[in-house]
Amino acid sequence: MENYVHMHECHGHKISIIINRTHAILHSIAILFLIHYRLSFFFQHPPNITIPTLPWLLIFVSELLLYLAWLLAQSHRWRPVYRTVFPERLPGDDKLPAIDIFICTADPNKEPSVEVMNTVISAMALDYPPEKLHVYVSDDAGSDATLRCMKEAWNFARYWVPFCRKYGLVTACPDVYFSSSEDGFKGSSEFKAERKKMEEKYEILKQRIRRIVQEYHRDVTVNNKLDHSSIIEVINEYHKEKDEVKIPILVYVSREKRPSRRHNFKAGALNVLLRVSAMISNSPYILVLDCDMHCNDPTSARQAMCYYCDPQTSQSIAFVQFPQTFRNISEDDIYDSQLRFVFKIQWHGFDGAGGPTISGTNFYIKREALLGSFSKQQDLMALKRSFGPSNDFIKTLVEDYKPCFIEDGESSRMLLEHANVLASCSYEDQTTWGTKVGFLYFCVLEDYFTGFTLHRKGWKSVYLYPKRPQFLGTATTNFNEASIQWTRWVSGLTSVAISRFCPLICGPLKMSLVHLMCYLEVACMPLLYCLSIWGFALIPQLCLFNGIPLYPKISDSNFNIFSIIFISAISKSLYEVVTTGDQFRVWTNEWRIWMVRCVTCYTYGSLDAILNKLGIKEASFLPTNKATDDEQVKLYEMGIFDFRAATMFLAPLVTVILVNFAAFVGAVFKALVVDDNGDRYWEKMFGQMFLSFYILVSNYAIIEGMIIRKGKASIPLSATLWSVVFSVFILLIGSVILC
């Protein structure tokens, strides 16, 4: 190892580690005092008990659940790490391994075709040997429009890719490039002339794509996206000019879908791409992208290869995860669309514990980690039982197998037919696809479950967060779509938490305790938070409404326990926002949207998973709508909530606000008007009054949408009226039960 050259470095942030661990210890001590205070209530003599037992027990359970969620969350604060790579130390291009790029699209109505084609083009323009890149687009809708758009995109890429390479552009996506001020050769008239021509070609491309989409929408005979045969087409097999600059091949894949068959959502589409790509290119590494997540910087492949080409890590690293970053995030980001905490805090800690889980997109993964490695002496029948009956596919599993799909530029018709068989509905019958090999099917979040399984088997992963975003996507910027997206994520996570695959039950084979806690926190977080926050949002308020104290008097020394815990939690979250380079208003927005999600998305997602577990409801997958509405975008950029959402999301929010408002106003009225000894009432009920007041102030945007604002984006009167009914019911029934 004398000539060994480090291609990457990993270092921990010592100051953050010290602060995190010190805070965890001190906060835990305060919580232990709180638990002692709550438990001592149950050991009082009956004559001294003046508070009903049930509300005290319920708020204690809520506090314990919140403490458990907090305790699990300390796992990703225990040892956050940060990584640096050195792509300049990679071997020559001829020694770099090949890469297959998988791009998944599901609905041309919700995923704008111009945006999808920008992702395709940017992937083809990666700074990597073009003969070693192969781009596959999975179209689950089986849309002829997507296929036609891909052909137009490939024609444009024939000019765009050489242009990027000639001038060393650092922005691979044409839409972003032409809307920015990047022009590296400012003094070059040749560059300016070529740039202008390229921009004209791009405008023509957009016009053609939009025309194709319009024709698709007008065509009443378009394919049924739930009922169509498989289609596989190599786009560039018909373009063979001798003097043409090499560009990556582009393959369209639409798997067979039938209404009577399960299709296993995105995981099913990825597994079809795994099989089809094995017949065409069989690259040892795969980049997975969502259709709206374009390659912003062309160097991501070389950065990932710093781990796969390093002899010390190449055998153990399953995948390299990059963060999800978005180009349409406003300064306020009222819906926390950038997922700041996940990608700037949580995943760094996850990495320090043993590696992050798969995040759905923006990751390079080793094919061997998904399929395994086999020798020529492997039992053929055993392989067929696991991978299906195709002899041609079984051949691709053998180490060092090189496909002969493309020879002298001519596609093999026979292998294309075999590839179509691999994309059929019935191919996975009686196999272990989705259960033991490939991307796993257990829940709609195939990424979390697949990553967890790989780590249990002993694979490692790394989280790479370069200064320049490698990938840029389009975030959901309206309340309804963001809520639907989070509900889907929560449903998948809760499905794991309440199943036999729960990290606590499944147990670590080759995982550390801290790493296990990271996975457990992600899986159990929605259920723990929704149960605890509903308790904090209603139980103290119902007791306040009826004059029952649940917290110590201000003069009681035990009141300091609750004050310290509250200030500690607030201060730590604010510290994490500031240290990641964000402002105070980001912290207030995140705090509000966290409470909003707890009583909406976390609740509905957890309920959906439970009903699915009981067999009452089948799992469903709704693609996030990426089509933008100018009015909604304007509201988002102004920091104004757009409440044009389903009543199921609005009613819980308004109900909580009304209950807290009724309890707070009632308490103030009692203290000022009714109670002769108002000072004592304030002292006795201050904790609950402060909690209600804090909830109301933090969620002022909801009050504004109910009362102050008018127009389409305000909360509809029907949702408010339903919430009034629910609030009255809760106040009446809750008062009877708790008191």
Side-chain angles (χ1 to χ4, degrees):
M1 299 297 288
E2 292 181 0
N3 298 324
Y4 173 73
V5 178
H6 289 278
M7 297 185 187
H8 53 85
E9 288 182 352
C10 175
H11 54 90
H13 197 285
K14 292 184 179 180
I15 296 178
S16 294
I17 292 173
I18 293 171
I19 292 175
N20 288 345
R21 295 183 181 183
T22 303
H23 174 265
I25 293 171
L26 296 177
H27 198 78
S28 295
I29 293 172
I31 289 175
L32 290 176
F33 277 107
L34 182 150
I35 293 173
H36 175 268
Y37 170 76
R38 290 296 185 193
L39 286 175
S40 63
F41 170 84
F42 299 105
F43 297 96
Q44 297 181 43
H45 293 294
N48 296 330
I49 299 177
T50 59
I51 301 172
T53 303
L54 181 58
W56 190 276
L57 179 63
L58 289 176
I59 196 62
F60 185 32
V61 170
S62 298
E63 290 166 346
L64 288 177
L65 291 174
L66 194 59
Y67 170 58
L68 178 59
W70 174 85
L71 182 64
L72 292 175
Q74 301 318 297
S75 58
H76 59 252
R77 293 182 172 95
W78 195 248
R79 186 179 174 268
V81 298
Y82 302 85
R83 298 182 181 272
T84 307
V85 293
F86 307 102
E88 66 275 8
R89 299 177 184 177
L90 285 170
D93 287 358
D94 58 323
K95 295 182 180 179
L96 292 176
I99 299 174
D100 291 340
I101 302 174
F102 294 172
I103 300 172
C104 295
T105 180
D107 190 339
N109 295 315
K110 292 187 175 183
E111 297 160 341
S113 295
V114 171
E115 195 169 298
V116 175
M117 293 308 117
N118 266 278
T119 300
V120 172
I121 294 166
S122 68
M124 297 177 72
L126 284 174
D127 179 19
Y128 208 75
E131 67 276 8
K132 295 186 176 183
L133 284 179
H134 318 90
V135 182
Y136 297 82
V137 177
S138 171
D139 176 21
D140 253 11
S143 167
D144 178 64
T146 301
L147 177 56
R148 292 170 60 194
C149 288
M150 282 179 61
K151 293 178 179 179
E152 295 291 345
W154 191 87
N155 279 322
F156 174 77
R158 294 168 62 199
Y159 304 97
W160 173 252
V161 173
F163 176 72
C164 290
R165 295 181 185 279
K166 180 178 180 180
Y167 294 105
L169 301 189
V170 296
T171 301
C173 176
D175 191 66
V176 175
Y177 175 75
F178 291 121
S179 61
S180 69
S181 57
E182 181 190 340
D183 54 351
F185 293 77
K186 292 181 180 179
S188 170
S189 58
E190 179 189 2
F191 168 75
K192 291 180 179 179
E194 286 199 41
R195 187 186 192 279
K196 185 176 181 180
K197 289 181 180 179
M198 195 59 60
E199 189 168 7
E200 291 172 353
K201 289 181 183 295
Y202 179 62
E203 290 301 322
I204 293 172
L205 170 68
K206 289 195 295 184
Q207 292 173 11
R208 288 178 175 174
I209 290 175
R210 287 166 181 159
R211 191 181 307 120
I212 290 171
V213 173
Q214 289 173 358
E215 292 173 0
Y216 170 78
H217 288 155
R218 288 197 299 265
D219 188 358
V220 295
T221 63
V222 293
N223 290 347
N224 185 338
K225 61 183 179 181
L226 298 177
D227 188 7
H228 57 82
S229 301
S230 61
I231 305 171
I232 300 173
E233 185 171 328
V234 181
I235 303 299
N236 48 327
E237 65 176 323
Y238 305 113
H239 302 269
K240 302 301 169 187
E241 300 174 11
K242 291 183 179 179
D243 59 345
E244 184 179 9
V245 177
K246 286 185 177 180
I247 66 172
I249 68 168
L250 179 60
V251 184
Y252 173 86
V253 179
S254 179
R255 57 177 171 154
E256 180 187 14
K257 299 186 80 172
R258 302 300 176 196
S260 59
R261 308 286 301 212
R262 293 177 63 89
H263 303 109
N264 299 302
F265 314 119
K266 181 181 176 182
L270 288 172
N271 282 338
V272 168
L273 290 181
L274 271 175
R275 296 193 292 270
V276 171
S277 64
M279 306 296 293
I280 300 175
S281 52
N282 201 37
S283 300
Y285 300 100
I286 297 164
L287 166 61
V288 178
L289 295 174
D290 282 345
C291 65
D292 65 321
M293 192 65 68
H294 65 256
C295 301
N296 180 61
D297 189 290
T299 64
S300 67
R302 293 183 181 273
Q303 293 191 42
M305 288 305 122
C306 288
Y307 292 95
Y308 292 127
C309 293
D310 190 316
Q312 289 192 348
T313 57
S314 60
Q315 297 302 314
S316 60
I317 300 294
F319 59 92
V320 177
Q321 178 68 61
F322 287 87
Q324 294 184 33
T325 46
F326 307 96
R327 58 173 174 154
N328 61 333
I329 299 298
S330 69
E331 290 186 4
D332 283 341
D333 191 22
I334 53 176
Y335 306 123
D336 186 29
S337 300
Q338 66 175 322
L339 303 173
R340 182 204 61 85
F341 175 75
V342 173
F343 294 115
K344 291 186 178 181
I345 299 289
Q346 191 173 20
W347 257 223
H348 286 292
F350 225 139
D351 193 11
T357 190
I358 297 173
S359 304
T361 182
N362 305 356
F363 63 93
Y364 289 82
I365 190 166
K366 184 181 288 189
R367 188 181 289 265
E368 179 188 336
L370 294 169
L371 302 179
S373 180
F374 305 95
S375 65
K376 293 180 180 180
Q377 289 74 36
Q378 195 78 24
D379 179 30
L380 179 61
M381 294 309 297
L383 289 175
K384 285 188 174 183
R385 284 193 296 271
S386 184
F387 293 97
S390 172
N391 289 325
D392 293 287
F393 178 75
I394 297 298
K395 291 178 184 177
T396 69
L397 299 173
V398 178
E399 192 173 357
D400 296 329
Y401 171 83
K402 301 298 181 185
C404 56
F405 185 84
I406 296 178
E407 186 176 334
D408 296 328
E410 295 298 324
S411 296
S412 168
R413 181 183 58 82
M414 186 177 297
L415 285 182
L416 260 182
E417 292 177 358
H418 290 161
N420 272 283
V421 172
L422 296 173
S424 66
C425 285
S426 59
Y427 184 79
E428 294 183 359
D429 293 350
Q430 309 302 316
T431 70
T432 60
W433 280 100
T435 56
K436 292 184 179 180
V437 297
F439 291 90
L440 304 183
Y441 293 157
F442 175 70
C443 64
V444 294
L445 285 187
E446 79 294 327
D447 46 5
Y448 171 91
F449 191 52
T450 302
F452 174 58
T453 303
L454 290 175
H455 281 128
R456 287 189 71 242
K457 292 178 179 178
W459 288 98
K460 302 294 182 183
S461 64
V462 296
Y463 180 56
L464 202 52
Y465 197 115
K467 291 183 179 179
R468 177 175 167 81
Q470 298 299 294
F471 304 94
L472 276 178
T474 305
T476 51
T477 55
N478 70 78
F479 179 62
N480 189 60
E481 288 299 328
S483 298
I484 292 173
Q485 185 180 56
W486 270 93
T487 301
R488 184 178 72 240
W489 291 343
V490 168
S491 177
L493 292 174
T494 307
S495 295
V496 176
I498 61 176
S499 73
R500 62 188 176 91
F501 298 111
C502 175
L504 188 62
I505 299 173
C506 216
L509 291 178
K510 298 180 181 180
M511 294 172 62
S512 67
L513 176 61
V514 176
H515 203 191
L516 176 70
M517 288 178 63
C518 287
Y519 269 103
L520 191 61
E521 191 266 340
V522 173
C524 298
M525 170 265 297
L527 192 57
L528 292 175
Y529 278 150
C530 79
L531 292 175
S532 59
I533 296 305
W534 270 112
F536 281 109
L538 295 179
I539 304 301
Q541 290 73 12
L542 290 172
C543 291
L544 177 62
F545 191 73
N546 291 277
I548 301 171
L550 291 180
Y551 297 101
K553 298 178 180 179
I554 298 180
S555 57
D556 190 337
S557 59
N558 289 313
F559 185 82
N560 295 329
I561 298 172
F562 294 88
S563 300
I564 290 171
I565 292 174
F566 177 79
I567 295 172
S568 170
I570 293 292
S571 302
K572 186 60 167 63
S573 63
L574 182 57
Y575 163 79
E576 290 177 343
V577 169
V578 172
T579 53
T580 55
D582 292 292
Q583 300 178 4
F584 177 79
R585 59 184 174 185
V586 171
W587 173 78
T588 58
N589 289 332
E590 286 186 3
W591 199 256
R592 177 180 59 234
I593 201 65
W594 174 73
M595 289 188 278
V596 168
R597 286 174 184 157
C598 285
V599 298
T600 55
C601 310
Y602 292 2
T603 302
Y604 288 124
S606 299
L607 184 61
D608 181 79
I610 293 170
L611 293 177
N612 177 250
K613 180 73 174 177
L614 296 175
I616 299 174
K617 182 181 180 297
E618 286 192 10
S620 59
F621 181 90
L622 291 174
T624 305
N625 191 351
K626 299 296 183 179
T628 57
D629 178 276
D630 291 340
E631 186 179 353
Q632 291 178 330
V633 170
K634 185 178 179 180
L635 289 171
Y636 169 73
E637 292 176 346
M638 293 171 62
I640 299 174
F641 259 74
D642 182 1
F643 290 108
R644 282 174 287 185
T647 303
M648 63 177 283
F649 293 124
L650 299 177
L653 296 177
V654 179
T655 299
V656 167
I657 293 299
L658 292 176
V659 169
N660 277 268
F661 182 77
F664 180 75
V665 171
V668 172
F669 180 76
K670 288 180 183 178
L672 297 178
V673 180
V674 179
D675 200 318
D676 294 334
N677 198 343
D679 291 340
R680 183 168 296 178
Y681 186 87
W682 280 97
E683 183 182 4
K684 182 175 66 173
M685 306 303 295
F686 178 80
Q688 285 150 266
M689 293 178 70
F690 175 79
L691 178 60
S692 290
F693 179 75
Y694 182 76
I695 290 174
L696 293 172
V697 171
S698 300
N699 294 279
Y700 171 75
I702 301 172
I703 300 174
E704 183 184 48
M706 289 168 52
I707 302 172
I708 301 174
R709 283 169 46 198
K710 304 297 179 184
K712 294 186 295 184
S714 62
I715 295 177
L717 180 61
S718 58
T720 303
L721 293 177
W722 275 112
S723 301
V724 170
V725 174
F726 295 147
S727 303
V728 172
F729 179 81
I730 290 172
L731 289 170
L732 293 178
I733 302 300
S735 299
V736 173
I737 295 175
L738 296 180
C739 306

